[in-house]
Structures are given as C-alpha cells and as structure tokens.
Amino acid sequence: RLQAVVDLTRARLALLSEERVLADAEAILARLVGLDGRVAAVSDSSLFQVATINDTTALMGEAQDRSPAVIRALAQVRAAKAGVSIARSVYLPRVSLSAGTSFSGSDRSDFALFNGRNVNLGFSWPLFNGFGRERDLITRQVALETAVSREADARRQAGSALTSQLAALYAAEQRAALTAQNLETARVSARVQTERYRLGSIDITVLNAAQDALSNAEIDAVSARYDYLRAKAQIEAILGRTL
C-alpha cells in the first residue's frame, strides 16, 4: 500500500508537469494564430494518411530541377548573366539621336509664331576609363561563376536531402506499422491483466507492469507517427509541393 501511495504521488507530479507543458504549447499556438488565451490542437485525419511514392527517380529529378532552392539559384544565375551583359555593353559605342520643335514670336513680328526644328545626332565611344570597365566586368564574371557553382550545389543538396528524407520516411513508416501492432498487443495484455487482477489471480505489481507496457507502446506509436510526419514535411519542403 505504501508503494502504491508513492506511485500515485509520482504520477500526480508528472501529470502537473505535463499540464504545464500543455498550457505553454496552447498559449504559443494561440499567439501564432492571433487569438487570446489557449488554443487546443484539433485532430486532422490527413495526418494519418500514408504518402504513396512509386517512382523515386522521377521524384529525385523533380527535386533537382524544380525545388524552391534550385529555382532561387537559377534566378540568381540569370541575374548574374544579365550583370555580365550590362558590363560588356560599356565597350560598345553609343549613338544618340534627339529631335525637337519650338515656336517663337514677339511684338516686332506682330506676335506671329515661327516654327523652329532641330535634330541632334551624337556618337561616343569611350576607349579608356582607367580600367574601370575591366574591373566591373571581371567582378560580374566572378559573380556569375559563383552563382553557377551555387546552382550546382543547390541541385546536389536537394538530391542529398531528398535521399536522406526518403530513407527517414521509409524507416518511420515501418516503425509506425510495428508500433501499431505492438500497441494493439499491449492493449490486449492490459485488458487481460486487469481482468485477472479483478479475479484476484495476480497482484498489483503485474497489473502495473502491463499498464506501463501499454503506456510505453502508446509513446512509441506517437513518436513513430511524429517522425513519419516530420520526414514527409521535409520532403514536401524540398519539392515545394504536397505529396
């Protein structure tokens, strides 16, 4: 009986700690969604759906070609190429053409308006500006080479991350299946031990062991499901779309 009191006190302390953690999490969630007080999470059936991935090769090609990181790197390459083109355009001659028309009059001509027209043609070709053009061109070419290397690295990084997360997704899926089976077994065992304890064939120690095994099985099942959802979310972040 004394051990049962100790176990009950320990369980109540653990419950108080978990309730505090829950309150903190719900308060943070309320702030994120723009509400006051506490907001509880709602169970979403989509969280329990298993993603079907048939062709990992096509998925890898998609990640290396159309992932957000690769698209951003491609945009940087295009911007760097435009910068090189602008730097090279300084070497070309410049031709300017302007035209205008005007009307003038005074009291000497009885305010008659006289139309005047002008056309200006200009040509300039800077041959030397203290190597400023060369310096700017080299700087922009280096920026282009850097952008190209970053694009290639972004493709490799997307492929590497996808490979890692696919392995994590497969492992988590297998763990989820095994822990679900173990959880069902633990539930049956806990019901059997509860009935046996009611009949007086076992003592409280055996029943507590069965209930602890059930709690651990539930924790393992939740952890496996969480790992699966996290790996799935990582893959979706790499691809830039939902699975």
Side-chain angles (χ1 to χ4, degrees):
R1 181 179 177 83
L2 293 178
Q3 184 61 39
V5 173
V6 172
D7 293 340
L8 178 60
T9 303
R10 186 182 297 113
R12 287 177 175 175
L13 292 174
L15 179 60
L16 291 174
S17 177
E18 294 300 326
E19 287 177 348
R20 182 188 61 80
V21 173
L22 177 61
D24 292 341
E26 290 181 348
I28 294 174
L29 180 59
R31 181 178 63 85
L32 292 176
V33 299
L35 298 176
D36 297 328
R38 296 169 55 175
V39 174
V42 180
S43 180
D44 189 353
S45 60
S46 63
L47 299 178
F48 299 92
Q49 296 177 358
V50 178
T52 302
I53 300 177
N54 297 323
D55 191 354
T56 57
T57 303
L59 205 65
M60 182 66 67
E62 179 182 354
Q64 294 180 337
D65 292 337
R66 295 190 295 274
S67 68
V70 174
I71 292 176
R72 182 173 61 250
L74 284 172
Q76 293 174 351
V77 170
R78 289 194 296 268
K81 287 182 178 179
V84 172
S85 299
I86 293 173
R88 287 176 176 172
S89 66
V90 181
Y91 287 90
L92 301 177
R94 297 180 180 180
V95 179
S96 60
L97 177 64
S98 62
T101 182
S102 62
F103 295 90
S104 62
S106 65
D107 55 351
R108 296 180 181 180
S109 58
D110 295 331
F111 296 100
L113 297 178
F114 297 95
N115 187 8
R117 297 182 178 90
N118 62 83
V119 177
N120 298 317
L121 177 63
F123 179 83
S124 64
W125 193 357
L127 299 178
F128 182 75
N129 67 343
F131 298 105
R133 296 174 302 180
E134 288 74 14
R135 182 180 64 251
D136 185 52
L137 178 60
I138 292 175
T139 300
R140 293 180 183 271
Q141 287 176 339
V142 171
L144 175 59
E145 293 176 358
T146 303
V148 171
S149 64
R150 287 177 177 174
E151 177 204 351
D153 183 67
R155 294 180 185 274
R156 290 190 295 268
Q157 184 177 3
S160 175
L162 182 62
T163 300
S164 176
Q165 295 303 324
L166 284 175
L169 183 71
Y170 176 77
E173 183 178 354
Q174 299 301 314
R175 281 186 55 206
L178 293 175
T179 54
Q181 180 180 358
N182 185 46
L183 177 59
E184 185 61 28
T185 303
R187 286 173 177 170
V188 174
S189 177
R191 288 196 297 267
V192 171
Q193 299 303 335
T194 301
E195 183 63 20
R196 292 181 62 190
Y197 178 76
R198 188 183 67 83
L199 296 175
S201 60
I202 60 174
D203 56 13
I204 190 64
T205 305
V206 178
L207 179 60
N208 288 338
Q211 292 177 344
D212 290 341
L214 176 59
S215 299
N216 292 331
E218 291 175 343
I219 293 173
D220 293 340
V222 173
S223 177
R225 173 56 55 179
Y226 173 76
D227 291 341
Y228 179 83
L229 293 176
R230 184 172 59 181
K232 180 182 176 183
Q234 291 290 341
I235 294 175
E236 292 175 345
I238 295 171
L239 298 176
R241 64 173 180 84
T242 58
L243 291 176

